[in-house]
Each structure stands twice: as structure tokens, then as C-alpha cells.
Amino acid sequence: MTTFYHCPLPPEPFVGRQRELNHIVRELPSTPVTLLAGVGGIGKTALALAAAARAAEELDRIPIFVPCQSGWAAGAFLRAIHAELSRLGEESFGPFLSDPALSLADRATHLAGLLDRGGFLLVADDGGAVEPRDFRTLVGVLLDRLQRGRVIVTSRRRLKLRSDSGRSPLANLYAGFHPAY
């Protein structure tokens, strides 16, 4: 049985998006960031939580959930992640996530180290609500740095995300959840 730490339980039973769910879980080991985007109410969060549950069972990941707030800058988002990781007893890099003296790229590098070390799967619900420039920087660093940790981002708007090295997230689910291969 998967333990969800301060994370909503996935819908039980999960129906209607099995193809997409299988695709996400199959690609997760090789994809550091997965983006699920579309209009409100089509099941992005339910799909992300179902994928997190499967990843916990099949890929030995620990899911954590951060509901993003409209207008957040990256600092607020990182403080929310720090709070969730603190609840799990993961404190070693935590202060670095909240340190405004560090650049956003440095804080994102510390986040990647935390997610990797713990084998965490971060579900960033409505990541599109975070200030876009900050979020692009944060995700760009995670795309380049994550080795073991993984991130699933839900968003009501299509996000153009890319790392400095040109790596893109698995941006496979838009509007009607039709994979873009």
C-alpha cells in the first residue's frame, strides 16, 4: 500500500484515462518532468495523483503534493516544497530552498538534490499559477539536474518549458489529453 504524505489520495477506482496513465508511468523513469496541461475540470490532478500512486508502487517513489497558488513567485513555491519535505523529516537542504540570498537556479539545484536523494515524486498542482519566468527557470534547472527524483506539473495553461541544454519535459497531455509525439 502506498503511503501518501500530506497528499490527496488518488481517485479509486481511476477510470477513463488508462492509456494516458500507462504512458506517464512507462516514461517516468526516463523523464524528469512531466507536464499535464488543459482546461479546468478535465482530470489533470486526478491523473497526476493516479500516476504518483503507480510510481510509488512500481518505481519506488515517494509522492509529495504541493498545490500552487495564483501569483506565487518561485520563492513561495519553494517554501511550500520545503514545508512538505520538512513534514517528512527531510531538512538537510531545506534552508537553501527558502534562502532569498541564493539565486533561483541555485535553489532549484538544491531541490533537485533533495528530490534525487529521497526518490521523491513531486506533484506540483497548477504549476501554471506560479510566475511564468520563475517557473521556467525552476523547471529548466530540474530538467538538467534531476537524476532519480521526478516532477509532475499540472497546469491550466500550456507552458513552454525547456532547459538550458535544450531538454524538454514530457509535454504529452494537452487539452483533450492527446499525446504529442
Side-chain angles (χ1 to χ4, degrees):
M1 177 68 181
T2 303
T3 302
F4 280 78
Y5 299 96
H6 304 280
C7 183
L9 294 174
E12 208 40 65
F14 181 75
V15 294
R17 299 269 186 226
Q18 205 60 43
R19 188 180 102 212
E20 291 87 351
L21 177 60
N22 290 337
H23 179 74
I24 293 167
V25 174
R26 182 177 60 247
E27 297 297 325
L28 203 56
S30 62
T31 307
V33 179
T34 300
L35 173 62
L36 310 178
V39 298
I42 60 172
K44 299 176 299 293
T45 301
L47 179 60
L49 291 171
R54 285 258 313 265
E57 292 292 330
E58 297 173 19
L59 305 173
D60 195 29
R61 303 291 173 181
I62 300 170
I64 57 174
F65 182 82
V66 173
C68 300
Q69 303 294 317
S70 181
W72 266 4
F77 177 60
L78 289 168
R79 282 190 299 279
I81 294 169
H82 177 215
E84 290 304 311
L85 290 170
S86 295
R87 287 185 181 117
L88 296 174
E90 184 60 67
E91 290 286 343
S92 56
F93 286 120
F96 294 107
L97 296 181
S98 301
D99 186 351
L102 294 175
S103 72
L104 179 55
D106 287 342
R107 290 184 284 164
T109 298
H110 288 295
L111 174 60
L114 275 168
L115 295 175
D116 281 344
R117 190 176 67 226
F120 293 110
L121 171 62
L122 169 63
V123 176
D125 193 36
D126 201 13
V130 176
E131 198 284 321
R133 185 175 32 105
D134 286 354
F135 203 69
R136 280 193 300 273
T137 299
L138 181 66
V139 171
V141 171
L142 292 175
L143 281 166
D144 280 341
R145 300 284 183 163
L146 281 174
Q147 300 296 314
R148 185 169 181 255
R150 293 293 179 256
V151 178
I152 297 176
V153 178
T154 69
S155 176
R156 291 185 177 187
R157 59 189 175 88
R158 192 174 255 198
L159 303 171
K160 293 181 181 174
L161 305 172
R162 185 171 307 284
S163 72
D164 287 340
S165 66
R167 204 169 173 191
S168 294
L170 175 65
N172 65 330
L173 302 175
Y174 290 110
F177 286 126
H178 299 291
Y181 295 103

